[in-house]
Amino acid sequence: MAFHYPNGQPYLNNEVPQSKKQATRPKATTLFGKRGMSLEEELNDSNQYYRSQSMAVVYKKPTPIQIVKVDYPARSQAVIKEAYFKQASTTDYNGIYQGRYLDFEAKETKNKTAFPFRNFHQHQIEHFRACLQQGGICFVIMKFVPLQRLFLLPASELITRWDAQADGARKSIPLEIVIKQGYEINYQLNPTIPYLSAVDQLIAYQVKRSN
Amino acid sequence: MAFHYPNGQPYLNNEVPQSKKQATRPKATTLFGKRGMSLEEELNDSNQYYRSQSMAVVYKKPTPIQIVKVDYPARSQAVIKEAYFKQASTTDYNGIYQGRYLDFEAKETKNKTAFPFRNFHQHQIEHFRACLQQGGICFVIMKFVPLQRLFLLPASELITRWDAQADGARKSIPLEIVIKQGYEINYQLNPTIPYLSAVDQLIAYQVKRSN
């Protein structure tokens, strides 16, 4: 009689030594990103893939730095000897996808039930507002680290809830709202974070709503 | 008998002391940008104006820096103690204007008759190519410093001439080509560099050509 795992795979008792069994055990169906990569690295990796396939041109902007002192040693490269991190005026990522301007921020939380607003700054909200007004596709890529779940949340939803804080609304977005208003992104091999599929859904929704 | 200046203004000899005359002499009709501002500062200033008027959302990207050593003095801000300038992978400016993705580089030359290609890098040309393929509006804002003349040159023209170098073509773009293929931008008060007017002309030309 053949035994099967709950996922339907047959159980084959081939007497493989325990050590080898460990190495060849079937891969989990959920890919948890490339091992040890941060959300930023995963996105850079995905953007590189999209560029290499001529699917989109998106980059993370460099971290803004206030340079105070630079040394120019003879015959060698300039060395920055004193500099400070500056607050960015915009979001971290932007670029072009099939004629459309994309603008987004990537954030992760250790929270399991809601995404706290302290992850955002007022100037990022204002930047989203300005880009939306010009017709940009704006969103946040949110990662709930303990759940290993990733979502694309439209910036319009973030802005509505951010603004409601002033009227005493809660200072975070509940996971169930992110699930309802956002688009879940499942990790895969290449690109690691296939966010353009979620962007397609967001565009389709916007087109439908505007008709 | 009334005397007039060549510009039609009447000559009024009111015996103003020499020092005061200097201060109130009529402004030149050509504005040479805000005094002492570099092309980058003039563009940042213009972008700020465009953002404040909700006309476009365009920023210069921060200079990419490779950070090697950071100190965290107690109770104060992190200090970068060793860092190096990195080569940028993209152009310096991008953003959104009326639903369109803008991507451009700003360069100046001391040359009076041609714009040398040594002002550009291969990766910038490739970046332009990729953005054009996605439907972006890509260009260079070129300043001939000795002539105090500014032009918007479409990236497509730059790419064609850059590629022709391999076949032995010249290593610069003659001024007469820039005049013919580009759009001249005249300095004004606000914004200092009204480049969106030239962008409108470029878009109109592209729309006409594609019909």
Side-chain angles (χ1 to χ4, degrees):
Chain A
M1 184 190 165
F3 289 91
H4 286 80
Y5 284 113
N7 67 4
Q9 288 286 314
Y11 170 69
L12 302 168
N13 190 354
N14 289 334
E15 300 296 318
V16 182
Q18 194 61 32
S19 61
K20 219 138 191 193
K21 260 187 197 163
Q22 281 286 346
T24 57
R25 67 174 173 197
K27 269 200 173 170
T29 44
T30 310
L31 294 169
F32 293 140
K34 294 189 179 169
R35 293 283 160 196
M37 278 172 102
S38 66
L39 179 57
E40 181 183 324
E41 288 168 327
E42 289 165 355
L43 279 169
N44 288 348
D45 200 59
S46 306
N47 286 333
Q48 199 176 355
Y49 175 84
Y50 282 139
R51 290 195 306 269
S52 73
Q53 301 298 306
S54 302
M55 291 174 74
V57 183
V58 178
Y59 282 91
K60 181 179 184 293
K61 293 185 189 172
T63 308
I65 302 228
Q66 178 70 50
I67 298 167
V68 175
K69 194 180 155 206
V70 183
D71 272 10
Y72 298 92
R75 289 164 196 274
S76 60
Q77 216 184 346
V79 189
I80 299 160
K81 292 300 231 179
E82 187 186 349
Y84 299 89
F85 294 101
K86 279 199 297 188
Q87 176 96 291
S89 358
T90 66
T91 45
D92 273 354
Y93 300 83
N94 75 355
I96 182 168
Y97 169 53
Q98 295 180 355
R100 289 172 193 269
Y101 173 79
L102 301 189
D103 198 294
F104 61 100
E105 191 61 38
K107 298 278 188 193
E108 42 192 1
T109 183
K110 287 178 180 163
N111 204 301
K112 288 177 192 169
T113 56
F115 209 93
F117 280 139
R118 63 167 177 274
N119 284 289
F120 299 98
H121 302 285
Q122 186 67 40
H123 65 263
Q124 293 172 326
I125 304 291
E126 298 316 326
H127 177 73
F128 272 146
R129 235 191 278 270
C131 290
L132 283 174
Q133 202 208 339
Q134 290 293 325
I137 306 293
C138 305
F139 52 90
V140 177
I141 292 181
M142 289 185 166
K143 183 174 181 176
F144 289 84
V145 179
L147 310 176
Q148 285 289 326
R149 291 182 77 176
L150 263 182
F151 298 90
L152 178 153
L153 185 79
S156 53
E157 184 66 25
L158 172 70
I159 293 171
T160 306
R161 291 184 171 262
W162 176 277
D163 289 347
Q165 280 182 105
D167 307 325
R170 53 184 293 174
K171 301 206 175 304
S172 64
I173 307 179
L175 175 62
E176 58 264 36
I177 295 295
V178 176
I179 292 172
K180 202 178 153 202
Q181 303 294 335
Y183 303 92
E184 186 152 10
I185 304 167
N186 293 307
Y187 276 108
Q188 61 176 46
L189 272 180
N190 240 336
T192 314
I193 297 181
Y195 69 87
L196 287 183
S197 313
V199 168
D200 286 338
Q201 290 174 268
L202 172 58
I203 293 171
Y205 174 75
Q206 287 184 346
V207 168
K208 201 176 125 196
R209 212 177 38 170
S210 70
N211 286 342
Chain B
M1 184 191 166
F3 288 91
H4 286 80
Y5 284 114
N7 67 4
Q9 287 286 315
Y11 170 68
L12 304 167
N13 189 354
N14 289 335
E15 298 297 319
V16 182
Q18 193 59 34
S19 61
K20 217 135 193 198
K21 261 190 197 161
Q22 281 287 346
T24 58
R25 69 177 172 194
K27 269 201 174 169
T29 44
T30 310
L31 294 169
F32 292 141
K34 296 190 179 168
R35 294 283 160 195
M37 277 173 101
S38 67
L39 178 59
E40 180 183 325
E41 287 167 328
E42 288 165 356
L43 279 168
N44 289 347
D45 200 59
S46 307
N47 286 333
Q48 201 178 351
Y49 175 84
Y50 283 140
R51 289 195 305 269
S52 73
Q53 301 298 307
S54 301
M55 291 174 75
V57 183
V58 177
Y59 283 91
K60 180 179 185 293
K61 294 184 188 173
T63 308
I65 298 211
Q66 178 69 51
I67 297 167
V68 175
K69 194 180 155 207
V70 184
D71 272 10
Y72 299 92
R75 288 163 195 273
S76 60
Q77 216 184 345
V79 189
I80 298 161
K81 292 299 233 180
E82 187 186 348
Y84 299 88
F85 294 100
K86 277 199 297 187
Q87 176 94 292
S89 358
T90 66
T91 46
D92 274 354
Y93 299 84
N94 75 354
I96 182 167
Y97 168 53
Q98 294 182 354
R100 290 172 192 270
Y101 174 78
L102 300 189
D103 197 294
F104 62 100
E105 190 61 37
K107 298 279 187 192
E108 43 192 359
T109 182
K110 288 178 180 163
N111 203 303
K112 288 176 193 170
T113 56
F115 208 95
F117 280 139
R118 63 167 176 274
N119 284 289
F120 299 97
H121 301 288
Q122 185 68 42
H123 65 263
Q124 292 172 327
I125 305 291
E126 298 316 326
H127 177 72
F128 273 146
R129 234 190 279 270
C131 290
L132 283 174
Q133 203 208 338
Q134 291 292 326
I137 307 292
C138 306
F139 53 90
V140 177
I141 292 182
M142 288 186 167
K143 183 175 183 177
F144 289 85
V145 179
L147 311 175
Q148 285 290 325
R149 290 182 77 177
L150 263 182
F151 298 89
L152 178 153
L153 186 78
S156 53
E157 184 65 28
L158 171 70
I159 293 171
T160 305
R161 291 183 173 263
W162 175 278
D163 288 347
Q165 279 183 104
D167 306 326
R170 53 183 294 173
K171 300 205 175 305
S172 64
I173 306 179
L175 175 61
E176 59 264 36
I177 295 295
V178 176
I179 292 172
K180 201 176 152 204
Q181 302 294 335
Y183 303 92
E184 187 152 10
I185 305 168
N186 294 307
Y187 276 108
Q188 61 176 46
L189 272 180
N190 241 337
T192 314
I193 298 181
Y195 69 87
L196 286 183
S197 313
V199 168
D200 285 338
Q201 291 174 268
L202 172 59
I203 292 171
Y205 174 75
Q206 287 183 347
V207 168
K208 202 175 124 195
R209 211 177 40 170
S210 70
N211 286 344

